[in-house]
Amino acid sequence: MTTLIEAPPEEADGLLPQKKSSSGGGLGKYLLIRFLLIFPTILILVTMVFFLMRITGDPITAALGDRLPPDQLQQRIHEAGYDRPVIVQYFEYLGQIATGNFGRTISDNLPVGGMLATYGTATLELAINSLIIALLVGIPLGMVAAARRDKAPDAVLRVFAILCYATPVFFAGLLLKLVFAVGLGWLPVAGRAKSANEVALTSLQAPTGIYWLDALRSGNMTALGDVAAHAVLPAVALGLLTAGVFLRLVRTNLIGTLGRDYVEAGRSRGVSELRLVTRHAYKPALIPIITVMGLQIAVLLGGAVLTESTFEWKGLGFQLAHYVTARDFIAVQGIVVLLAVIVALTNFIVDILAALIDPRVRY
Amino acid sequence: MSTSTQHSGTPHNEGPATEPVLRIDHLKVTFATDGGDVHAVDDVSLSVAPGEVLAIVGESGSGKTVTAKTILGLLPETAVSSGAVLISGSDVISVSPAKLRQIRGQEVAMVFQEPSTALNPVFTVGWQIAEGLRSHGNVSRKEARARAIEALGKVGIPEPEKRVDYYPHQFSGGQKQRVVIAAALALNPGLIVADEPTTALDVTVQAEILDLLRDLRDVFGTSIVLITHNMGVVADLADRVVVMYQGDVVEEADVATLFAEPKQEYTRKLLAAVPHLGRNSASAGLTERAHQGGEVLVEARNLVIEYPGRLGSPGFRAVNDVSFTISAGEVFGLVGESGSGKTTIGRAIAGLNKVTGGSLKVLGHEMLNVRERSFRPVRRDIGFVFQDPASSFNPQLTIGECVAEPILITGDRKGPDVSRRVAELLEAVQLPAAYADRYPHELSGGQRQRASLARALALNPRLLIADEPTSALDVSVQAKVLELFREIQAEFGFAALFISHDLAVVDILSHWVGVLYKGRLVEEGIGNQVMGGPKDPYTQRLIASLPVPDPAEQARRRTARRELLRS
Amino acid sequence: MATTKEPLLFRLPVLSHLRRSVGLQRGMLIAGLVLTGIFLLTALLAPVLAPFGFAQRFDSQQPPSAAHLWGTTVGGYDVLSRVIWGAQTAVLVIVIAVVLSLFAGVALGLVSGYLGGWLDRVLVVVADAVYAFPTLLLAIVMSITISGGQSSLWGGILSAAISITVVFIPQYFRVIRAETIRLKAEPFVEAAKVMGASTPRIIFRHVYRNATRTLPLIFTLNSSEAVLTMAALGFLGFGIEPTSAAEWGFDLNKALSDTTAGIWWTGVFPGIAIVLAVLGLTLVGESMNDLSDSRLRGRRRAGATTGTTTGTTAGTTTGTVAGTTTDTTTASSAASSPRGATESAAPGPLEGTAGA
């Protein structure tokens, strides 16, 4: 590539502002625009989910159609307002969501918002646990694979990574259960804690809902041990799936930056290979890595649904599977919309993080 | 180690025969590629004396860059090397990795071709310089910083105490190259390997960097291995020259001898191919603008072209208030450095860029607010030759299909008539007719650029726009393509807009020359008059900065440039 | 450079990759091809290979024996037969899903990328929103919409396939659009524009053929994802009734409760089938990705001559273009041949699709 020649200022891909902004305005403007982009994203998903769920008919017929006589059914539909034009219902739904009202479930007549709050923390706990495992396993191993590229460690790690994401999380869970819970009997088969501990933890004053945090706060060490034992298998099953993706991501991007001129320039000044990998190449590689990791949150949440069903981990995913079976589409819609909001928010935060690492955006 | 120099290298002329800083003995480097092993370097021997500037010149594929990388042990794993590369007693090829690391930075350092990629974008320049220091012993953070500031000061970065905390993108291209040199200097190595250090820079910046490198040698006695393809740069800076061709050293001589009496056939040809400002001018003998009787094909009046800014930020004005005309049969040369707007003007004439203000008439069509539909019929009268021959052909189509494309689009000819015309065109650009069946990647750069010319001429255009058509080519190939261009222009008589950053190249082809600077046309006139007696201060500086391939003449020009800058 | 034309056979995607590969990468590619081959053959020959029909019932939960090599399930189905028949279902779903998303995604990406304007902006926002969303949840919603959660053979297969399609369209769209935008700025497309070529001619003759070169790669990686998504849907109860067709995810769902009783054969075999099918496809896809990317490509070392040592550094000498923002970095792959003589036009790489 010859750079002798002038080129018209190119549209850079993505939204990152380019280096021209030498004043501090670049970052502020970027943050604002990126923040505003959250809303259309959520709106699009909410709209899509709403209409897709309504194409087949009203939720009450879906849930109770085969259980109630037609006249009672009609009455309930009318009471809930599902006989009005869909577009009216849509705008009403948007208004409700904006005020935090997700409606009531049909099958057990619970407020969806409350259900989300109750079970959301369980999912959050699972997500945090497995994210920690994924980061601890994926990033260092990815660095090793990149540094020892095309050598034996790289070969082993690559096969490991592919195996990690080739194994469906529910099958990994099933194997883990067979070996460590049923076979060896080291760890519990399912659930978040023994029922006694569960009661103790949920009856605390202002519980966070994240059990290990609650156990720590109340100083209940037996409960903490129990919670930890229950958390291992689900976190490993879900964490390994994501670890495989992270490993590959770190490896690919690190190899990309290791081939850059500035790494060679560092090498030409006598910088050690280890430091080239861990400092010179790692930080520039981190920008795309973080962006893609943000997208992995979606995979993690999708995986959480399956993990929770496998381990009867009573979180949003477990509830989702439950309500899907019960054909309670208001509940399903609520859970899906909430997850969409979480995904949109995490992606926003991650993009900001990536921008903060990049001095070309900061200055 | 013996100090006698029984190998091919002659010792540095002026200095006494001291121990060389670098000695390469029978170096051989082989690469594994998809097409089998490639012998990038075959038996190279040379030496560099303290305080000497040794230039290694050659075209692409000569092995000069591979030789440079071998000096620092920077070859990729796919390379196998043999022979010896001795730096202060250690053989870089066989030395342990730890020792090699010690040599790098301390004994020998490197300056890279592309300063913007040689600096890590996410660390401050001070950190990057300090990294080199810290790798060679226990240096405190404070001391490393102080020495980084010192190094930045040495290479002429203003306010080094402040700039040490800047990130690379906050420097201009020339300054970035200074930073790269500062990083190389940090540990005061005896030898600097500079791989095409000015190729990515504009001529005026190139002159400054060359001055800096000369100062390093003069003030600190640093030896320099200068890898370059540019004979002007060699004439400006080198003491001794090694000419490489296809992995071999073909000739070695001190710089004056090499330019005055080249011994080898290859060197002679290479030197003859280098464009030399003021020789072989297309406008030689002209006293007034030629071709003025004919139709005016392109007329720009107060032309303004802006690129829209992103999201509310103000746009970038690439072309500002430019007026000129191109008449039928005339070759208009447009020169300027990067960012001058020359390419933008060429693209606007071809309808690839929008015109923001003023007026641009192309073959009678106003380009301000032009509609593609109404302009399309005019396109058949315009040919365009792109800069990069590698990417200007659809890789999925054969050369024949590519050249036939404009003919097929007009629908003028059909079937065998088309292939006949393609054969005719290929013959006109001196390509064998059989090349019509080849794919673009199967041709060399020069051949592709000929095919590109054939495609541009397919419909006998009245106007040809050539945007840096030879800048991606080697000197010897460039000379042939320029010659071909000149012949064909004379034969077909089309008008041409010839865009280039290279003054000497523009002078070879153009009757009339315009000089662009930051979007403004600062000077225009008959080619040899502009080159010989520039009036505008910028043009004067530009021309004074251009190194000519003649050491004696270049030394005079260098003095003249210094005086010009002082006044 | 006078080079002979490569035989047409070796210009086909997978074969050309195989020829260029060396060492570990070749091993991975071959392993992937073998696994994928077995997977496809099993699907094709299911009626011959399977000892029983997928809906035939026997005594429930029998351990592996001579009569039932891999035992029977809680529903009394023969595990081996259902695993074999399951391959057929999986291939059907993959083919339908990938073909559908290919057409929709490629067409949208080309048009949106080349024409730009408001259509492009709207499509990008929508595609980005969908892309960032958990694919499984979207597939669940789609599945509810299409079949209302019901399941018959073709109804089940179609609903799974279409659900997966909707998830994949944004991925194809993004890749093809990015390629199209890159190609739009390439001199050869501008050359066509300067010649006065019409927009459809430019899109089809010049952009389309070059933009779709990465498709075999996305195709492979998405196939593996399709298997996973289908299995996940089946696991959550959107599968196909056991009497209509065999589906691995559904069988795993039923096997889950067996584990506590120590009954391992009902879950392990369908699980391994999924892993091997996905593993094979992923190995092929990743190897192709690496081989298309000059930065990731492993190279053979030159034939060693006597008494030599090699360069101690890692990494190739290529300086590739930086793409810092998105995950699909389409680096222009400059050939790192030391003589700089050959300019290969390798297709752009694709990163971050697997597992996304």
Side-chain angles (χ1 to χ4, degrees), chain C residues 26-61:
Chain C
R26 176 167 244 166
M28 283 174 63
L29 183 55
I30 290 175
L33 286 174
V34 169
L35 283 174
T36 309
I38 294 174
F39 175 44
L40 292 176
L41 276 179
T42 312
L44 196 69
L45 302 176
V48 186
L49 292 176
F52 306 105
F54 51 80
Q56 248 173 297
R57 280 165 174 262
F58 304 93
D59 291 337
S60 99
Q61 294 186 327

mmCIF file of all heavy atoms in Angstrom, chain C residues 26-61:
data_model
loop_
_atom_site.group_PDB
_atom_site.id
_atom_site.type_symbol
_atom_site.label_atom_id
_atom_site.label_comp_id
_atom_site.label_asym_id
_atom_site.label_seq_id
_atom_site.Cartn_x
_atom_site.Cartn_y
_atom_site.Cartn_z
ATOM 1 N N ARG C 26 -3.684 -27.873 8.143
ATOM 2 C CA ARG C 26 -4.147 -28.918 7.244
ATOM 3 C C ARG C 26 -4.804 -30.028 8.059
ATOM 4 O O ARG C 26 -5.854 -30.532 7.684
ATOM 5 C CB ARG C 26 -2.976 -29.444 6.425
ATOM 6 C CG ARG C 26 -3.351 -30.595 5.545
ATOM 7 C CD ARG C 26 -2.271 -30.889 4.538
ATOM 8 N NE ARG C 26 -2.794 -30.662 3.204
ATOM 9 C CZ ARG C 26 -2.043 -30.578 2.126
ATOM 10 N NH1 ARG C 26 -0.755 -30.612 2.213
ATOM 11 N NH2 ARG C 26 -2.590 -30.416 0.946
ATOM 12 N N GLY C 27 -4.195 -30.369 9.184
ATOM 13 C CA GLY C 27 -4.753 -31.407 10.040
ATOM 14 C C GLY C 27 -6.155 -31.048 10.495
ATOM 15 O O GLY C 27 -7.077 -31.862 10.430
ATOM 16 N N MET C 28 -6.325 -29.791 10.919
ATOM 17 C CA MET C 28 -7.637 -29.350 11.388
ATOM 18 C C MET C 28 -8.653 -29.384 10.258
ATOM 19 O O MET C 28 -9.790 -29.812 10.435
ATOM 20 C CB MET C 28 -7.536 -27.936 11.963
ATOM 21 C CG MET C 28 -6.917 -27.887 13.347
ATOM 22 S SD MET C 28 -6.639 -26.215 13.940
ATOM 23 C CE MET C 28 -8.289 -25.573 14.013
ATOM 24 N N LEU C 29 -8.229 -28.929 9.097
ATOM 25 C CA LEU C 29 -9.147 -28.896 7.954
ATOM 26 C C LEU C 29 -9.572 -30.313 7.570
ATOM 27 O O LEU C 29 -10.752 -30.580 7.339
ATOM 28 C CB LEU C 29 -8.475 -28.174 6.777
ATOM 29 C CG LEU C 29 -9.309 -27.992 5.521
ATOM 30 C CD1 LEU C 29 -10.628 -27.292 5.831
ATOM 31 C CD2 LEU C 29 -8.549 -27.201 4.481
ATOM 32 N N ILE C 30 -8.598 -31.213 7.526
ATOM 33 C CA ILE C 30 -8.923 -32.588 7.132
ATOM 34 C C ILE C 30 -9.832 -33.232 8.179
ATOM 35 O O ILE C 30 -10.841 -33.857 7.834
ATOM 36 C CB ILE C 30 -7.632 -33.412 6.928
ATOM 37 C CG1 ILE C 30 -6.920 -32.907 5.674
ATOM 38 C CG2 ILE C 30 -7.945 -34.894 6.808
ATOM 39 C CD1 ILE C 30 -5.588 -33.538 5.419
ATOM 40 N N ALA C 31 -9.504 -33.040 9.463
ATOM 41 C CA ALA C 31 -10.360 -33.597 10.516
ATOM 42 C C ALA C 31 -11.782 -33.069 10.364
ATOM 43 O O ALA C 31 -12.761 -33.829 10.454
ATOM 44 C CB ALA C 31 -9.805 -33.226 11.886
ATOM 45 N N GLY C 32 -11.903 -31.779 10.100
ATOM 46 C CA GLY C 32 -13.219 -31.180 9.922
ATOM 47 C C GLY C 32 -13.947 -31.766 8.730
ATOM 48 O O GLY C 32 -15.142 -32.092 8.805
ATOM 49 N N LEU C 33 -13.219 -31.914 7.621
ATOM 50 C CA LEU C 33 -13.847 -32.449 6.416
ATOM 51 C C LEU C 33 -14.323 -33.880 6.650
ATOM 52 O O LEU C 33 -15.410 -34.259 6.210
ATOM 53 C CB LEU C 33 -12.860 -32.400 5.240
ATOM 54 C CG LEU C 33 -12.605 -31.008 4.659
ATOM 55 C CD1 LEU C 33 -11.506 -31.057 3.618
ATOM 56 C CD2 LEU C 33 -13.888 -30.445 4.046
ATOM 57 N N VAL C 34 -13.507 -34.679 7.356
ATOM 58 C CA VAL C 34 -13.890 -36.070 7.620
ATOM 59 C C VAL C 34 -15.160 -36.106 8.478
ATOM 60 O O VAL C 34 -16.131 -36.794 8.148
ATOM 61 C CB VAL C 34 -12.735 -36.823 8.321
ATOM 62 C CG1 VAL C 34 -13.213 -38.171 8.849
ATOM 63 C CG2 VAL C 34 -11.576 -37.021 7.349
ATOM 64 N N LEU C 35 -15.169 -35.315 9.566
ATOM 65 C CA LEU C 35 -16.344 -35.300 10.448
ATOM 66 C C LEU C 35 -17.584 -34.849 9.690
ATOM 67 O O LEU C 35 -18.659 -35.442 9.811
ATOM 68 C CB LEU C 35 -16.091 -34.378 11.638
ATOM 69 C CG LEU C 35 -15.189 -34.933 12.737
ATOM 70 C CD1 LEU C 35 -14.899 -33.865 13.774
ATOM 71 C CD2 LEU C 35 -15.858 -36.133 13.398
ATOM 72 N N THR C 36 -17.425 -33.773 8.893
ATOM 73 C CA THR C 36 -18.563 -33.273 8.141
ATOM 74 C C THR C 36 -19.036 -34.318 7.135
ATOM 75 O O THR C 36 -20.245 -34.510 6.936
ATOM 76 C CB THR C 36 -18.193 -31.976 7.422
ATOM 77 O OG1 THR C 36 -17.611 -31.095 8.378
ATOM 78 C CG2 THR C 36 -19.399 -31.315 6.813
ATOM 79 N N GLY C 37 -18.068 -34.992 6.516
ATOM 80 C CA GLY C 37 -18.416 -36.045 5.557
ATOM 81 C C GLY C 37 -19.233 -37.142 6.225
ATOM 82 O O GLY C 37 -20.268 -37.574 5.700
ATOM 83 N N ILE C 38 -18.779 -37.563 7.395
ATOM 84 C CA ILE C 38 -19.517 -38.619 8.115
ATOM 85 C C ILE C 38 -20.935 -38.149 8.450
ATOM 86 O O ILE C 38 -21.912 -38.870 8.260
ATOM 87 C CB ILE C 38 -18.762 -39.008 9.412
ATOM 88 C CG1 ILE C 38 -17.432 -39.664 9.053
ATOM 89 C CG2 ILE C 38 -19.606 -39.929 10.278
ATOM 90 C CD1 ILE C 38 -16.542 -39.953 10.242
ATOM 91 N N PHE C 39 -21.014 -36.898 8.901
ATOM 92 C CA PHE C 39 -22.301 -36.309 9.256
ATOM 93 C C PHE C 39 -23.252 -36.341 8.056
ATOM 94 O O PHE C 39 -24.389 -36.821 8.144
ATOM 95 C CB PHE C 39 -22.034 -34.872 9.745
ATOM 96 C CG PHE C 39 -23.247 -34.047 10.042
ATOM 97 C CD1 PHE C 39 -24.325 -34.560 10.747
ATOM 98 C CD2 PHE C 39 -23.298 -32.720 9.625
ATOM 99 C CE1 PHE C 39 -25.430 -33.780 11.026
ATOM 100 C CE2 PHE C 39 -24.403 -31.936 9.897
ATOM 101 C CZ PHE C 39 -25.471 -32.468 10.588
ATOM 102 N N LEU C 40 -22.765 -35.867 6.910
ATOM 103 C CA LEU C 40 -23.624 -35.817 5.723
ATOM 104 C C LEU C 40 -23.995 -37.219 5.254
ATOM 105 O O LEU C 40 -25.143 -37.481 4.883
ATOM 106 C CB LEU C 40 -22.912 -35.054 4.602
ATOM 107 C CG LEU C 40 -22.710 -33.558 4.864
ATOM 108 C CD1 LEU C 40 -21.909 -32.916 3.749
ATOM 109 C CD2 LEU C 40 -24.074 -32.866 5.010
ATOM 110 N N LEU C 41 -23.024 -38.126 5.272
ATOM 111 C CA LEU C 41 -23.301 -39.502 4.825
ATOM 112 C C LEU C 41 -24.334 -40.162 5.727
ATOM 113 O O LEU C 41 -25.236 -40.851 5.247
ATOM 114 C CB LEU C 41 -22.012 -40.318 4.826
ATOM 115 C CG LEU C 41 -21.150 -40.167 3.564
ATOM 116 C CD1 LEU C 41 -19.885 -41.004 3.677
ATOM 117 C CD2 LEU C 41 -21.953 -40.586 2.326
ATOM 118 N N THR C 42 -24.174 -39.944 7.040
ATOM 119 C CA THR C 42 -25.137 -40.527 7.971
ATOM 120 C C THR C 42 -26.543 -40.028 7.660
ATOM 121 O O THR C 42 -27.505 -40.799 7.649
ATOM 122 C CB THR C 42 -24.778 -40.148 9.420
ATOM 123 O OG1 THR C 42 -23.392 -40.388 9.604
ATOM 124 C CG2 THR C 42 -25.583 -40.943 10.409
ATOM 125 N N ALA C 43 -26.640 -38.727 7.382
ATOM 126 C CA ALA C 43 -27.946 -38.153 7.077
ATOM 127 C C ALA C 43 -28.524 -38.790 5.824
ATOM 128 O O ALA C 43 -29.691 -39.170 5.761
ATOM 129 C CB ALA C 43 -27.811 -36.643 6.903
ATOM 130 N N LEU C 44 -27.659 -38.919 4.823
ATOM 131 C CA LEU C 44 -28.104 -39.437 3.529
ATOM 132 C C LEU C 44 -28.512 -40.903 3.632
ATOM 133 O O LEU C 44 -29.516 -41.326 3.058
ATOM 134 C CB LEU C 44 -26.942 -39.268 2.532
ATOM 135 C CG LEU C 44 -27.296 -39.374 1.062
ATOM 136 C CD1 LEU C 44 -28.125 -38.179 0.648
ATOM 137 C CD2 LEU C 44 -26.017 -39.455 0.238
ATOM 138 N N LEU C 45 -27.717 -41.678 4.379
ATOM 139 C CA LEU C 45 -27.931 -43.125 4.416
ATOM 140 C C LEU C 45 -28.701 -43.577 5.653
ATOM 141 O O LEU C 45 -28.708 -44.768 5.969
ATOM 142 C CB LEU C 45 -26.572 -43.844 4.370
ATOM 143 C CG LEU C 45 -25.701 -43.525 3.155
ATOM 144 C CD1 LEU C 45 -24.349 -44.205 3.262
ATOM 145 C CD2 LEU C 45 -26.410 -43.958 1.872
ATOM 146 N N ALA C 46 -29.360 -42.625 6.336
ATOM 147 C CA ALA C 46 -30.066 -42.979 7.569
ATOM 148 C C ALA C 46 -30.984 -44.187 7.408
ATOM 149 O O ALA C 46 -30.970 -45.095 8.247
ATOM 150 C CB ALA C 46 -30.830 -41.775 8.098
ATOM 151 N N PRO C 47 -31.783 -44.256 6.345
ATOM 152 C CA PRO C 47 -32.689 -45.408 6.227
ATOM 153 C C PRO C 47 -31.929 -46.732 6.168
ATOM 154 O O PRO C 47 -32.441 -47.757 6.600
ATOM 155 C CB PRO C 47 -33.413 -45.146 4.903
ATOM 156 C CG PRO C 47 -33.240 -43.697 4.629
ATOM 157 C CD PRO C 47 -31.939 -43.294 5.247
ATOM 158 N N VAL C 48 -30.708 -46.721 5.625
ATOM 159 C CA VAL C 48 -29.934 -47.955 5.514
ATOM 160 C C VAL C 48 -29.219 -48.256 6.830
ATOM 161 O O VAL C 48 -29.172 -49.392 7.284
ATOM 162 C CB VAL C 48 -28.882 -47.809 4.378
ATOM 163 C CG1 VAL C 48 -28.162 -49.137 4.163
ATOM 164 C CG2 VAL C 48 -29.544 -47.319 3.104
ATOM 165 N N LEU C 49 -28.658 -47.195 7.446
ATOM 166 C CA LEU C 49 -27.810 -47.386 8.618
ATOM 167 C C LEU C 49 -28.605 -47.701 9.883
ATOM 168 O O LEU C 49 -28.185 -48.502 10.703
ATOM 169 C CB LEU C 49 -26.966 -46.136 8.858
ATOM 170 C CG LEU C 49 -25.892 -45.824 7.825
ATOM 171 C CD1 LEU C 49 -25.216 -44.497 8.146
ATOM 172 C CD2 LEU C 49 -24.852 -46.946 7.790
ATOM 173 N N ALA C 50 -29.751 -47.033 10.040
ATOM 174 C CA ALA C 50 -30.470 -47.161 11.313
ATOM 175 C C ALA C 50 -31.085 -48.548 11.431
ATOM 176 O O ALA C 50 -31.759 -49.014 10.501
ATOM 177 C CB ALA C 50 -31.552 -46.100 11.392
ATOM 178 N N PRO C 51 -30.844 -49.213 12.562
ATOM 179 C CA PRO C 51 -31.436 -50.546 12.739
ATOM 180 C C PRO C 51 -32.961 -50.489 12.862
ATOM 181 O O PRO C 51 -33.648 -51.414 12.457
ATOM 182 C CB PRO C 51 -30.792 -51.060 14.026
ATOM 183 C CG PRO C 51 -30.193 -49.877 14.697
ATOM 184 C CD PRO C 51 -29.944 -48.845 13.666
ATOM 185 N N PHE C 52 -33.478 -49.418 13.431
ATOM 186 C CA PHE C 52 -34.931 -49.295 13.597
ATOM 187 C C PHE C 52 -35.414 -47.951 13.083
ATOM 188 O O PHE C 52 -34.620 -47.055 12.797
ATOM 189 C CB PHE C 52 -35.305 -49.424 15.084
ATOM 190 C CG PHE C 52 -34.774 -50.671 15.727
ATOM 191 C CD1 PHE C 52 -33.682 -50.614 16.580
ATOM 192 C CD2 PHE C 52 -35.360 -51.916 15.473
ATOM 193 C CE1 PHE C 52 -33.175 -51.763 17.160
ATOM 194 C CE2 PHE C 52 -34.850 -53.068 16.058
ATOM 195 C CZ PHE C 52 -33.764 -52.991 16.900
ATOM 196 N N GLY C 53 -36.725 -47.790 13.010
ATOM 197 C CA GLY C 53 -37.295 -46.491 12.678
ATOM 198 C C GLY C 53 -37.190 -45.567 13.872
ATOM 199 O O GLY C 53 -37.015 -46.019 15.010
ATOM 200 N N PHE C 54 -37.290 -44.255 13.596
ATOM 201 C CA PHE C 54 -37.116 -43.324 14.718
ATOM 202 C C PHE C 54 -38.317 -43.333 15.658
ATOM 203 O O PHE C 54 -38.229 -42.895 16.788
ATOM 204 C CB PHE C 54 -36.830 -41.902 14.220
ATOM 205 C CG PHE C 54 -37.817 -41.412 13.203
ATOM 206 C CD1 PHE C 54 -39.058 -40.924 13.603
ATOM 207 C CD2 PHE C 54 -37.502 -41.426 11.847
ATOM 208 C CE1 PHE C 54 -39.962 -40.477 12.675
ATOM 209 C CE2 PHE C 54 -38.416 -40.974 10.916
ATOM 210 C CZ PHE C 54 -39.642 -40.495 11.316
ATOM 211 N N ALA C 55 -39.470 -43.839 15.194
ATOM 212 C CA ALA C 55 -40.656 -43.809 16.044
ATOM 213 C C ALA C 55 -40.993 -45.192 16.598
ATOM 214 O O ALA C 55 -42.019 -45.380 17.229
ATOM 215 C CB ALA C 55 -41.837 -43.255 15.255
ATOM 216 N N GLN C 56 -40.124 -46.190 16.329
ATOM 217 C CA GLN C 56 -40.389 -47.540 16.836
ATOM 218 C C GLN C 56 -40.157 -47.601 18.337
ATOM 219 O O GLN C 56 -39.150 -47.083 18.824
ATOM 220 C CB GLN C 56 -39.442 -48.526 16.140
ATOM 221 C CG GLN C 56 -40.155 -49.477 15.211
ATOM 222 C CD GLN C 56 -39.153 -50.299 14.425
ATOM 223 O OE1 GLN C 56 -38.373 -49.758 13.642
ATOM 224 N NE2 GLN C 56 -39.169 -51.605 14.628
ATOM 225 N N ARG C 57 -41.081 -48.229 19.064
ATOM 226 C CA ARG C 57 -40.956 -48.253 20.523
ATOM 227 C C ARG C 57 -40.580 -49.626 21.028
ATOM 228 O O ARG C 57 -40.986 -50.650 20.485
ATOM 229 C CB ARG C 57 -42.286 -47.841 21.167
ATOM 230 C CG ARG C 57 -42.501 -46.354 21.175
ATOM 231 C CD ARG C 57 -43.955 -46.029 21.465
ATOM 232 N NE ARG C 57 -44.106 -44.591 21.611
ATOM 233 C CZ ARG C 57 -44.143 -43.991 22.808
ATOM 234 N NH1 ARG C 57 -44.053 -44.677 23.910
ATOM 235 N NH2 ARG C 57 -44.277 -42.670 22.852
ATOM 236 N N PHE C 58 -39.774 -49.633 22.083
ATOM 237 C CA PHE C 58 -39.397 -50.882 22.746
ATOM 238 C C PHE C 58 -39.560 -50.682 24.240
ATOM 239 O O PHE C 58 -40.119 -49.672 24.682
ATOM 240 C CB PHE C 58 -37.935 -51.224 22.403
ATOM 241 C CG PHE C 58 -37.694 -51.295 20.925
ATOM 242 C CD1 PHE C 58 -37.256 -50.176 20.233
ATOM 243 C CD2 PHE C 58 -37.932 -52.469 20.215
ATOM 244 C CE1 PHE C 58 -37.052 -50.233 18.863
ATOM 245 C CE2 PHE C 58 -37.729 -52.516 18.859
ATOM 246 C CZ PHE C 58 -37.281 -51.390 18.171
ATOM 247 N N ASP C 59 -39.019 -51.618 25.028
ATOM 248 C CA ASP C 59 -39.058 -51.418 26.480
ATOM 249 C C ASP C 59 -38.252 -50.173 26.810
ATOM 250 O O ASP C 59 -37.220 -49.929 26.222
ATOM 251 C CB ASP C 59 -38.437 -52.633 27.211
ATOM 252 C CG ASP C 59 -39.331 -53.858 27.049
ATOM 253 O OD1 ASP C 59 -40.547 -53.651 26.798
ATOM 254 O OD2 ASP C 59 -38.802 -54.974 27.131
ATOM 255 N N SER C 60 -38.738 -49.432 27.820
ATOM 256 C CA SER C 60 -38.092 -48.155 28.083
ATOM 257 C C SER C 60 -36.835 -48.297 28.939
ATOM 258 O O SER C 60 -36.722 -49.236 29.753
ATOM 259 C CB SER C 60 -39.090 -47.204 28.718
ATOM 260 O OG SER C 60 -38.911 -47.167 30.088
ATOM 261 N N GLN C 61 -35.908 -47.402 28.739
ATOM 262 C CA GLN C 61 -34.685 -47.257 29.536
ATOM 263 C C GLN C 61 -33.872 -48.538 29.696
ATOM 264 O O GLN C 61 -33.329 -48.813 30.760
ATOM 265 C CB GLN C 61 -35.032 -46.680 30.922
ATOM 266 C CG GLN C 61 -35.563 -45.270 30.820
ATOM 267 C CD GLN C 61 -35.779 -44.640 32.153
ATOM 268 O OE1 GLN C 61 -36.129 -45.324 33.114
ATOM 269 N NE2 GLN C 61 -35.581 -43.329 32.236
#
